Amino acid sequence: MSKRDYYDVLGVAKGAPKDEIKKAYRQLARKYHPDVSKEDEAEAKFKEINEAYEILFDDQKRATYDRFGHAGLGTSGGSGFGGFSGGFGGRDPFEIFEEVFGGLGGFGRAGASGARRQRNGPRQGADLRYDMPIEFEEAVFGVEKEIEIPRKETCAKCSGSRAEPGTSALRCPECNGTGEIRRQTGFFINISTCSRCQGRGEIIASPCRECQGRGQLTKTRRLTVKIPAGVDNGTQIRLTGEGEAGAMGGPPGNLYVVLQVKPHSYFRRNNDDLHIELAVNIAQAALGDEVDVPTLDGTEPMKIPAGTQTGDVIRLRGKGVPRLRRDGTSAGRGDELITINVRTPTSLSKEQRELLTQLGKTLDKEVVPQKEKSFFDRLRDAFGV
């Protein structure tokens, strides 16, 4: 049976440039790939367009074909793979497909070849996580901590090659160094990872005695972690390159230190502000007073205005948590907010009871329901304005 004209097979004109030939081939190869097309003649068409592309995309073969036709190529008769076994030593159509598509789409052997290259190529090491508990004050002011991390490191003896020094890896005889085992059933090819070399394409005849042929060893390293001021619970600190060693010359992973801040006995944190509750007696609340209140910097004098009520908030500016920038530096500090609780005495001496009785006689005894504060009143109380 005579062969079709190669230009007709690809649907291009005789003088078509190479980029047009390649574009036509890509469209047709995708359409008629046996893994995609359901047409009965897809296999034959796929071989035909690959044969046409191999000839027309090669300048020398194309010139011979334009001058002498199929006869000049020695492919005038027969069908199937005849055009790939003629005088020009043609190739498997799947090899041409993989070459043009670069392993895209996961067709045929392209995906498996890409996986093998990935197994043999450099791979980044695994990232590690370390949960670090710290005190409340350490989170506020910053601290340096030493930690011990077990991690996989490149074997110093074999430099990660897995082979005993003085020896080298050998090509896997099972897969001939491809990392793949291919079994063909009719037109279809089944590809699996070589079980002997695990897809590496090579075997180690003399494994390194230090790492037992693994290329890596688990070692415990002591590291210093600098914790900046102002960190909060759950903050992650990345130590670049302090994770596990990479494989095949790949870079190491990173270490992520996750902070777990212990709660304080009486301070509560809200972003960059600190909150504390302070109990005062009725005389201090009514007459006003100056008291020492605890801060993270030590005690601080604070004035209680006369007529202070339970729930009133007094603000100490700049006594909160350092504001942490993205670069790890701090910019100023938040505030400390003191919520006042007026403490009513539950046990009075005789003298105290007499004094309060005299005071009570001078006070208004009318019970008046309190009007609920508006949103803006509560906002002013919260910000001390």
Side-chain angles (χ1 to χ4, degrees):
M1 184 176 65
S2 61
K3 286 182 173 290
R4 292 176 60 199
D5 181 78
Y6 288 144
Y7 291 102
D8 290 342
V9 171
L10 296 182
V12 297
K14 188 172 183 178
K18 295 180 72 172
D19 58 346
E20 184 177 338
I21 292 174
K22 189 171 186 177
K23 180 179 179 181
Y25 167 75
R26 289 175 66 93
Q27 293 175 343
L28 292 170
R30 282 188 180 276
K31 181 178 179 181
Y32 292 109
H33 194 288
D35 290 347
V36 176
S37 178
K38 303 300 182 183
E39 296 187 19
D40 294 337
E41 299 181 357
E43 178 181 337
K45 289 182 178 179
F46 182 71
K47 291 184 287 186
E48 185 181 45
I49 60 179
N50 276 278
E51 180 179 335
Y53 174 78
E54 184 189 17
I55 300 302
L56 298 184
F57 201 74
D58 184 283
D59 293 336
Q60 184 179 355
K61 295 179 183 180
R62 182 177 181 180
T64 302
Y65 176 74
D66 289 344
R67 186 175 181 182
F68 301 107
H70 291 293
L73 302 173
T75 61
S76 56
S79 59
F81 287 100
F84 293 91
S85 58
F88 286 90
R91 296 172 295 161
D92 186 322
F94 283 104
E95 293 180 4
I96 300 173
F97 184 87
E98 292 176 19
E99 180 182 282
V100 174
F101 285 84
L104 296 175
F107 295 111
R109 292 177 292 194
S113 299
R116 179 172 60 84
R117 286 192 295 269
Q118 185 178 10
R119 285 193 296 269
N120 289 335
R123 299 192 303 273
Q124 183 173 3
D127 292 336
L128 297 176
R129 168 175 172 150
Y130 183 91
D131 293 324
M132 176 187 290
I134 60 174
E135 301 295 333
F136 190 89
E137 291 85 348
E138 292 175 334
V140 172
F141 296 114
V143 70
E144 286 191 358
K145 294 275 192 177
E146 282 195 345
I147 61 174
E148 290 186 345
I149 292 291
R151 66 185 185 188
K152 292 180 181 178
E153 298 186 358
T154 300
C155 176
K157 184 176 181 180
C158 68
S159 300
S161 69
R162 302 184 296 124
E164 185 70 15
T167 67
S168 59
L170 303 176
R171 177 183 294 182
C172 176
E174 188 75 18
C175 63
N176 198 30
T178 64
E180 303 167 349
I181 301 298
R182 306 184 182 193
R183 296 180 177 86
Q184 184 167 354
T185 304
F187 180 74
F188 296 96
I189 299 175
N190 179 44
I191 304 171
S192 60
T193 300
C194 177
S195 59
R196 183 167 182 179
C197 67
Q198 303 300 316
R200 293 188 177 97
E202 59 184 25
I203 58 174
I204 306 298
S206 300
C208 173
R209 288 191 288 269
E210 182 72 18
C211 64
Q212 306 301 314
R214 292 187 294 269
Q216 294 180 334
L217 291 170
T218 300
K219 294 187 176 182
T220 300
R221 293 293 181 184
R222 183 181 293 272
L223 302 173
T224 299
V225 182
K226 184 176 181 180
I227 301 172
V231 297
D232 205 348
N233 190 58
T235 297
Q236 291 188 8
I237 299 176
R238 183 179 67 184
L239 301 183
T240 304
E242 296 294 351
E244 294 193 333
M248 309 299 291
N254 301 320
L255 170 63
Y256 291 89
V257 178
V258 182
L259 303 180
Q260 298 175 342
V261 182
K262 299 178 183 179
H264 199 273
S265 56
Y266 45 83
F267 283 116
R268 291 183 298 105
R269 179 174 175 176
N270 182 19
N271 297 325
D272 299 325
D273 291 334
L274 293 176
H275 293 259
I276 186 174
E277 294 186 359
L278 184 68
V280 299
N281 62 45
I282 56 176
Q284 290 173 307
L287 303 175
D289 197 3
E290 182 173 297
V291 297
D292 289 333
V293 296
T295 72
L296 290 178
D297 301 300
T299 58
E300 185 81 12
M302 181 189 74
K303 289 185 177 181
I304 299 175
T308 293
Q309 304 294 315
T310 291
D312 285 354
V313 177
I314 301 174
R315 180 182 295 265
L316 295 181
R317 299 192 180 276
K319 292 299 179 180
V321 180
R323 296 186 178 95
L324 185 63
R325 293 194 182 104
R326 289 183 177 271
D327 61 0
T329 61
S330 58
R333 293 175 62 173
D335 301 329
E336 181 176 329
L337 287 79
I338 298 95
T339 300
I340 301 299
N341 290 324
V342 180
R343 183 176 56 208
T344 302
T346 57
S347 178
L348 297 173
S349 65
K350 181 178 179 181
E351 181 181 6
Q352 289 171 332
R353 182 177 297 277
E354 291 175 353
L355 290 173
L356 282 177
T357 300
Q358 294 297 321
L359 176 61
K361 292 178 181 179
T362 66
L363 298 177
D364 187 0
K365 296 184 178 181
E366 183 181 0
V367 178
V368 180
Q370 293 292 306
K371 181 181 178 181
E372 184 179 356
K373 290 185 177 181
S374 68
F375 169 77
F376 295 104
D377 291 334
R378 294 195 299 272
L379 189 63
R380 282 193 293 267
D381 290 343
F383 287 93
V385 294

